Amino acid sequence: MEQTIRVELSETLKEKPKTDQLEFGRVFTDHMFVMEYTEPLGWHNPSIVPYQPLTIDPSAMIFHYGQSVFEGLKAYLTSDGDAQLFRPERNLKRLNRSNQRLCIPEIDEKLALKAIKELVALEKDWIPGAEGTSLYIRPFIISTEPYLGVAPSRHYKFIVILSPVGAYYKEGINPVKIAVESQFVRAVVGGTGEAKTGGNYASSLKAQEVVAKEGYAQVLWLDGVEKKYIEEVGSMNVFFKINGEVVTPALNGSILEGVTRNSVIQLLKHWNVPVVERKISIDELHEAYKAGQLEEAFGAGTAAVISPIGQLTWRKEHLVINNGETGEISKKVYDTLTEIQYGKTEDPFDWVEKVSVPSKVKHA
Amino acid sequence: MEQTIRVELSETLKEKPKTDQLEFGRVFTDHMFVMEYTEPLGWHNPSIVPYQPLTIDPSAMIFHYGQSVFEGLKAYLTSDGDAQLFRPERNLKRLNRSNQRLCIPEIDEKLALKAIKELVALEKDWIPGAEGTSLYIRPFIISTEPYLGVAPSRHYKFIVILSPVGAYYKEGINPVKIAVESQFVRAVVGGTGEAKTGGNYASSLKAQEVVAKEGYAQVLWLDGVEKKYIEEVGSMNVFFKINGEVVTPALNGSILEGVTRNSVIQLLKHWNVPVVERKISIDELHEAYKAGQLEEAFGAGTAAVISPIGQLTWRKEHLVINNGETGEISKKVYDTLTEIQYGKTEDPFDWVEKVSVPSKVKHA
């Protein structure tokens, strides 16, 4: 039987920010989704409630042992005024894979998708309409049992909050400078690198802080074992076009399986552009560069979609890629993905999922 | 100028649990210490307030990116009725080292120690008096800025909560069975292994869950690079007595520098027992076992003080150490450390720090 989501509407509505003043992840909508887990009840009481602070005991495990997972996806407004999601099932599948790694009880993916759709439908007026803007959707699970023992929590909250976000590139897609990270490590096989959990992000802050002072946008992470193989760029997956072929690091247990990553691979295959998932070392990349074969490089993730890499710095050598400009494939992938997301072009992969807005929550 | 700690007393006091019913970390005292960090104010408003839930925005960074650190130490009641701490300065120094790694602004260690002492003094009646019991002290820092960007938070809370805890060994010190972990990795050099941060503990839950089903108390962690060198046992440091010499893994960047670890090393040196910090591989340990030279093994940490290892299972082979019984050195270290902590013996190292209870908070 399909579960009903209880809805408690907010008595007052916030003023919506101006579209040209939107930042990423600073403003939140009027409502949020909350579902509780306790033993022996399991996940229960799925509810849409007014956006509000959480009241949590200071001994709750989330504050001590970091047992948490999250996801990130977006709702887009089409020119017809419809709201739509991009491959949300993949985010929810990944949330459950993260749950397994972090010993968190799995959620019902269908119920979670229904919750996201109902919440987005209710908050449809919060989806900004301007080019490149969207409504960022943040599902997350936190461990809330008031207990200081190092053990999986027996209480959790699954929450979804929404934030209207501006265009990632205010002046169009723009290549960035990246530093190859040689000191700090993001993740290692056997750790939590392929899960979307807080600790991976907390661990990454220091490297980012160091290179930001030197003018770099992000770091390129190498594997934690040999400090040799390329893993990710910042919190995105990474692609290189080498001598006509697009290469991305193969999933190995320490790399996050990005939804955008998978979409890029499918698009390239659809276009008959050679694409391969395999181990790639920083030395191989450097040699390709010296041979004039490193044609493009870009990051891929939900926030920026595609982030071209104009310069890569390794051992004080600056590798300038495609004259520091956005490459042809990077641009084509970016344009096509965003056109599909905003419903401006056909969707041959059936990636887009419409959010139906029932008349009772339709806004004036 | 010494900072004043504001005190707001609770109007009602909780009933204290019976000493023989104490669990670890489930019951908390009447008050807690809280200090806020915002920019540009820095750390401010140090306060002792009634123990109460935290009210935090669902977008606060702690719920998403795990930027947090913590410590663990204990207050002990002496037979004279005095409260005392064990080497608290080391915990606060380590808290600041963890802060550095996690991009959290450092705290004033003197103020933090003063806060802990004033809080413990106020809650002195909560320190259980029975053998082996104590008042567990949990200082922790969480990132509270309501922002979904992956960047260091600009708001934090430093909190100290107290929990009366029972004897770790209800029937005396007791050897445990440990499984050598071959699949999961706790930490790697370049990661956060030497910091006391939530992500390390979240990451460790899965391995623990797997071996617990097979009847093991904990895992023995190997290094994440070669899966060869011994790092820690569960969330404790580890020691082995091999052919008369005590060996513990050298601090390498992925091992936590335990206060108990340091104290054990100092005690052994004081007794002229040979002790060395160096790399030690699981193969070396196995060979020592086969040669009949693996005489003792034990974990060392604040919670259990000393946890003897009676059996170590590696590649399905069971290494039974000291006939599965507590070794002579393990026992002597345990007895001496606890006698110092409870003020039952002299303290040649000046480890103990008395908590002075001012008359105004002295309880009847």
Side-chain angles (χ1 to χ4, degrees):
Chain A
M1 198 190 74
E2 199 172 283
Q3 270 191 276
T4 304
I5 296 171
R6 187 177 69 87
V7 179
E8 179 193 336
L9 292 177
S10 181
E11 290 182 8
T12 57
L13 298 183
K14 301 174 193 168
E15 198 178 333
K16 294 177 184 64
K18 291 194 176 128
T19 296
D20 59 354
Q21 289 170 1
L22 288 171
E23 282 184 84
F24 178 84
R26 290 222 181 262
V27 167
F28 300 89
T29 68
D30 295 305
H31 299 87
M32 62 196 220
F33 173 81
V34 182
M35 184 163 63
E36 307 277 340
Y37 179 94
T38 52
E39 289 179 2
L41 266 184
W43 287 111
H44 65 277
N45 197 17
S47 309
I48 289 173
V49 297
Y51 187 93
Q52 61 194 280
L54 306 177
T55 301
I56 303 184
D57 198 88
S59 68
M61 296 177 117
I62 180 62
F63 299 133
H64 305 272
Y65 307 128
Q67 197 194 7
S68 65
V69 296
F70 70 94
E71 274 300 328
L73 65 163
K74 288 174 174 175
Y76 308 87
L77 201 65
T78 71
S79 55
D80 296 337
D82 291 329
Q84 57 187 31
L85 306 174
F86 182 76
R87 312 186 78 187
E89 296 87 353
R90 283 187 82 88
N91 291 92
L92 296 169
K93 267 198 190 8
R94 186 172 63 185
L95 188 65
N96 267 342
R97 286 202 306 277
S98 299
N99 279 338
Q100 286 168 17
R101 180 62 184 85
L102 274 299
C103 301
I104 296 175
E106 291 182 45
I107 55 158
D108 176 342
E109 294 169 23
K110 279 195 185 138
L111 174 63
L113 181 56
K114 182 176 140 114
I116 287 172
K117 285 179 165 181
E118 288 195 15
L119 184 62
V120 168
L122 177 65
E123 305 289 58
K124 183 166 173 267
D125 284 357
W126 278 91
I127 312 178
E131 171 131 17
T133 64
S134 58
L135 188 65
Y136 185 79
I137 303 167
R138 169 55 58 90
F140 62 106
I141 300 177
I142 54 174
S143 46
T144 53
E145 184 180 356
Y147 174 44
L148 295 184
V150 179
S153 178
R154 293 178 303 183
H155 307 167
Y156 300 89
K157 282 182 197 287
F158 171 54
I159 299 174
V160 183
I161 55 176
L162 306 178
S163 172
V165 297
Y168 198 87
Y169 300 108
K170 291 201 174 63
E171 299 165 16
I173 185 171
N174 199 11
V176 292
K177 291 182 182 176
I178 300 289
V180 180
E181 178 59 44
S182 57
Q183 184 188 357
F184 296 106
V185 169
R186 178 189 166 272
V188 69
V189 176
T192 55
E194 65 183 348
K196 215 162 166 69
T197 181
N200 296 341
Y201 296 80
S203 167
S204 77
L205 296 173
K206 188 74 183 177
Q208 171 64 22
E209 185 182 77
V210 171
V211 302
K213 283 181 188 150
E214 296 162 3
Y216 296 98
Q218 292 283 357
V219 299
L220 185 74
W221 296 108
L222 301 181
D223 76 282
V225 172
E226 298 183 60
K227 299 252 180 96
K228 181 175 170 184
Y229 294 101
I230 293 167
E231 298 228 321
E232 300 188 17
V233 58
S235 49
M236 291 183 284
N237 294 115
V238 67
F239 289 79
F240 303 98
K241 181 160 165 262
I242 300 172
N243 200 21
E245 183 185 62
V246 179
V247 181
T248 192
L251 300 175
N252 63 351
S254 61
I255 293 175
L256 190 80
E257 185 177 356
V259 177
T260 310
R261 175 187 183 279
N262 178 280
S263 307
V264 170
I265 292 169
Q266 284 199 52
L267 264 186
L268 293 174
K269 286 181 176 167
H270 184 67
W271 294 334
N272 292 315
V273 174
V275 55
V276 59
E277 301 172 64
R278 64 169 170 85
K279 266 186 151 182
I280 175 167
S281 72
I282 185 69
D283 304 274
E284 179 189 343
L285 199 73
H286 185 235
E287 277 167 33
Y289 176 77
K290 285 196 297 184
Q293 299 184 333
L294 178 53
E295 296 154 356
E296 290 188 43
F298 59 90
T302 294
V305 190
I306 297 298
S307 184
I309 300 171
Q311 181 190 303
L312 202 58
T313 299
W314 183 50
R315 296 181 178 165
K316 297 188 179 165
E317 187 181 345
H318 303 304
L319 285 55
V320 177
I321 301 164
N322 194 39
N323 297 316
E325 291 163 15
T326 299
E328 195 186 332
I329 287 285
S330 312
K331 182 75 166 60
K332 190 175 172 190
V333 168
Y334 176 79
D335 287 346
T336 308
L337 276 178
T338 52
E339 281 166 12
I340 293 173
Q341 287 164 344
Y342 289 92
K344 291 182 186 169
T345 190
E346 60 166 342
D347 172 21
F349 310 98
D350 208 15
W351 282 341
V352 156
E353 186 139 347
K354 294 261 182 232
V355 174
S356 65
V357 180
S359 55
K360 60 172 177 170
V361 301
K362 226 164 206 160
H363 297 263
Chain B
M1 198 191 73
E2 198 173 283
Q3 270 190 276
T4 304
I5 297 170
R6 187 177 69 85
V7 179
E8 179 195 336
L9 292 178
S10 180
E11 289 181 11
T12 56
L13 298 184
K14 301 174 195 168
E15 198 177 334
K16 294 177 183 66
K18 292 196 177 125
T19 296
D20 59 354
Q21 289 169 1
L22 288 171
E23 280 185 85
F24 179 83
R26 290 224 182 259
V27 167
F28 300 89
T29 68
D30 294 306
H31 299 87
M32 63 196 222
F33 174 79
V34 183
M35 182 163 64
E36 307 277 341
Y37 180 94
T38 53
E39 288 179 2
L41 268 184
W43 287 111
H44 65 277
N45 197 18
S47 308
I48 289 173
V49 297
Y51 187 93
Q52 60 195 278
L54 306 177
T55 302
I56 304 184
D57 198 90
S59 68
M61 296 177 115
I62 181 63
F63 299 134
H64 305 272
Y65 306 128
Q67 197 193 7
S68 65
V69 296
F70 71 93
E71 275 299 329
L73 64 163
K74 288 174 174 175
Y76 308 88
L77 202 65
T78 69
S79 55
D80 296 337
D82 291 329
Q84 56 188 31
L85 307 174
F86 183 75
R87 310 185 78 186
E89 297 86 354
R90 284 187 80 89
N91 291 93
L92 296 169
K93 268 198 191 6
R94 185 172 64 185
L95 189 65
N96 267 340
R97 287 202 307 277
S98 299
N99 279 337
Q100 286 168 18
R101 179 63 183 84
L102 275 298
C103 300
I104 296 174
E106 291 182 44
I107 56 158
D108 176 342
E109 293 169 23
K110 278 193 184 139
L111 175 63
L113 181 55
K114 183 176 138 114
I116 287 171
K117 284 179 166 180
E118 289 194 14
L119 184 62
V120 169
L122 177 65
E123 305 289 59
K124 184 168 172 266
D125 284 357
W126 279 91
I127 311 178
E131 171 130 17
T133 64
S134 58
L135 187 64
Y136 185 78
I137 304 167
R138 168 55 58 89
F140 63 105
I141 300 178
I142 54 174
S143 47
T144 52
E145 186 180 356
Y147 174 44
L148 295 185
V150 179
S153 178
R154 295 178 302 184
H155 307 169
Y156 300 89
K157 281 182 197 289
F158 171 54
I159 300 175
V160 183
I161 56 178
L162 306 177
S163 173
V165 297
Y168 198 87
Y169 300 107
K170 291 202 174 65
E171 298 165 18
I173 184 171
N174 200 9
V176 292
K177 290 183 184 177
I178 300 290
V180 179
E181 178 58 44
S182 57
Q183 182 188 358
F184 297 106
V185 169
R186 177 189 168 272
V188 69
V189 176
T192 55
E194 65 183 349
K196 215 163 165 70
T197 182
N200 296 341
Y201 297 79
S203 166
S204 77
L205 296 173
K206 189 73 183 179
Q208 171 65 24
E209 185 181 77
V210 171
V211 301
K213 284 180 188 151
E214 296 162 2
Y216 297 98
Q218 292 283 357
V219 299
L220 185 74
W221 296 108
L222 302 181
D223 76 283
V225 172
E226 299 183 61
K227 301 251 180 95
K228 180 175 170 186
Y229 294 101
I230 293 166
E231 299 228 320
E232 300 188 17
V233 59
S235 50
M236 290 183 284
N237 294 117
V238 67
F239 290 79
F240 302 98
K241 182 160 166 262
I242 300 172
N243 200 20
E245 182 186 62
V246 179
V247 181
T248 192
L251 300 176
N252 62 350
S254 60
I255 293 174
L256 190 80
E257 186 177 354
V259 176
T260 310
R261 175 186 183 279
N262 178 281
S263 307
V264 170
I265 293 169
Q266 284 199 53
L267 264 187
L268 293 174
K269 285 181 176 168
H270 184 69
W271 293 334
N272 293 314
V273 173
V275 56
V276 59
E277 301 173 64
R278 64 168 171 86
K279 267 185 152 183
I280 175 167
S281 71
I282 186 69
D283 303 275
E284 179 189 343
L285 199 73
H286 185 234
E287 277 167 34
Y289 176 78
K290 285 196 297 184
Q293 298 185 334
L294 177 53
E295 296 154 355
E296 291 188 41
F298 59 89
T302 293
V305 190
I306 296 298
S307 185
I309 300 171
Q311 181 190 304
L312 203 59
T313 298
W314 184 49
R315 295 182 179 166
K316 298 187 178 166
E317 187 181 345
H318 304 303
L319 285 56
V320 177
I321 302 165
N322 194 39
N323 298 317
E325 290 164 16
T326 299
E328 194 186 333
I329 286 285
S330 311
K331 182 74 168 61
K332 189 176 172 190
V333 168
Y334 176 79
D335 287 345
T336 308
L337 276 177
T338 52
E339 281 167 13
I340 292 173
Q341 287 164 343
Y342 288 92
K344 291 183 186 169
T345 189
E346 60 167 341
D347 171 22
F349 311 97
D350 209 15
W351 282 341
V352 157
E353 187 140 345
K354 293 262 181 228
V355 173
S356 64
V357 181
S359 55
K360 62 172 176 168
V361 300
K362 227 163 203 161
H363 297 260

Short mmCIF file of all heavy atoms in Angstrom, two decimals, chain B residues 40 45 103 127 134-135 181 229 273 289 300 340:
data_model
loop_
_atom_site.label_atom_id
_atom_site.label_comp_id
_atom_site.label_asym_id
_atom_site.label_seq_id
_atom_site.Cartn_x
_atom_site.Cartn_y
_atom_site.Cartn_z
N PRO B 40 32.75 38.41 12.97
CA PRO B 40 34.16 38.51 13.33
C PRO B 40 34.42 38.38 14.84
O PRO B 40 35.56 38.56 15.26
CB PRO B 40 34.50 39.93 12.89
CG PRO B 40 33.26 40.70 13.15
CD PRO B 40 32.11 39.75 12.97
N ASN B 45 31.12 34.32 24.63
CA ASN B 45 30.01 33.96 25.52
C ASN B 45 30.14 32.57 26.13
O ASN B 45 29.23 31.75 26.05
CB ASN B 45 28.67 34.10 24.76
CG ASN B 45 27.50 34.15 25.73
OD1 ASN B 45 27.68 34.41 26.93
ND2 ASN B 45 26.30 33.88 25.24
N CYS B 103 40.01 22.52 9.80
CA CYS B 103 39.76 23.94 9.47
C CYS B 103 38.77 24.59 10.43
O CYS B 103 37.95 25.42 10.03
CB CYS B 103 39.25 24.09 8.04
SG CYS B 103 40.40 23.48 6.81
N ILE B 127 29.59 12.55 40.11
CA ILE B 127 30.70 11.61 39.93
C ILE B 127 30.41 10.39 40.80
O ILE B 127 30.36 10.49 42.02
CB ILE B 127 32.06 12.22 40.36
CG1 ILE B 127 32.25 13.61 39.73
CG2 ILE B 127 33.20 11.29 39.96
CD1 ILE B 127 33.56 14.29 40.15
N SER B 134 33.25 6.57 36.95
CA SER B 134 33.81 7.91 36.78
C SER B 134 32.78 8.80 36.08
O SER B 134 31.68 8.34 35.72
CB SER B 134 35.10 7.85 35.94
OG SER B 134 34.84 7.26 34.69
N LEU B 135 33.14 10.07 35.92
CA LEU B 135 32.27 10.99 35.19
C LEU B 135 32.95 11.26 33.84
O LEU B 135 34.02 11.89 33.78
CB LEU B 135 32.11 12.30 35.98
CG LEU B 135 31.10 13.29 35.41
CD1 LEU B 135 29.68 12.72 35.44
CD2 LEU B 135 31.15 14.62 36.18
N GLU B 181 41.45 -6.78 10.45
CA GLU B 181 40.58 -6.30 9.39
C GLU B 181 41.33 -6.26 8.06
O GLU B 181 42.37 -5.62 7.95
CB GLU B 181 40.06 -4.90 9.75
CG GLU B 181 39.18 -4.26 8.71
CD GLU B 181 37.94 -5.07 8.39
OE1 GLU B 181 37.29 -5.58 9.33
OE2 GLU B 181 37.64 -5.23 7.19
N TYR B 229 50.84 -2.96 7.88
CA TYR B 229 51.33 -2.47 9.16
C TYR B 229 50.16 -2.21 10.12
O TYR B 229 49.12 -1.69 9.74
CB TYR B 229 52.15 -1.19 8.96
CG TYR B 229 53.42 -1.49 8.19
CD1 TYR B 229 53.52 -1.22 6.83
CD2 TYR B 229 54.49 -2.12 8.82
CE1 TYR B 229 54.67 -1.54 6.11
CE2 TYR B 229 55.64 -2.45 8.12
CZ TYR B 229 55.72 -2.16 6.77
OH TYR B 229 56.84 -2.50 6.07
N VAL B 273 61.03 -1.14 31.68
CA VAL B 273 60.59 -2.19 30.74
C VAL B 273 60.92 -1.67 29.34
O VAL B 273 60.53 -0.55 28.99
CB VAL B 273 59.08 -2.45 30.87
CG1 VAL B 273 58.60 -3.41 29.78
CG2 VAL B 273 58.73 -2.95 32.26
N TYR B 289 54.55 -14.83 16.99
CA TYR B 289 53.62 -15.78 17.61
C TYR B 289 54.07 -17.22 17.39
O TYR B 289 54.12 -18.02 18.32
CB TYR B 289 52.21 -15.57 17.04
CG TYR B 289 51.21 -16.57 17.55
CD1 TYR B 289 50.65 -16.44 18.82
CD2 TYR B 289 50.83 -17.66 16.77
CE1 TYR B 289 49.74 -17.36 19.30
CE2 TYR B 289 49.91 -18.59 17.24
CZ TYR B 289 49.37 -18.43 18.50
OH TYR B 289 48.47 -19.36 18.98
N ALA B 300 44.83 0.32 24.46
CA ALA B 300 44.94 1.36 25.49
C ALA B 300 44.13 2.57 25.05
O ALA B 300 44.34 3.11 23.96
CB ALA B 300 46.41 1.75 25.68
N ILE B 340 46.55 5.71 39.94
CA ILE B 340 46.91 7.14 39.83
C ILE B 340 45.64 7.97 39.58
O ILE B 340 45.42 9.01 40.20
CB ILE B 340 47.95 7.35 38.71
CG1 ILE B 340 49.30 6.72 39.07
CG2 ILE B 340 48.12 8.85 38.42
CD1 ILE B 340 50.34 6.73 37.96
#
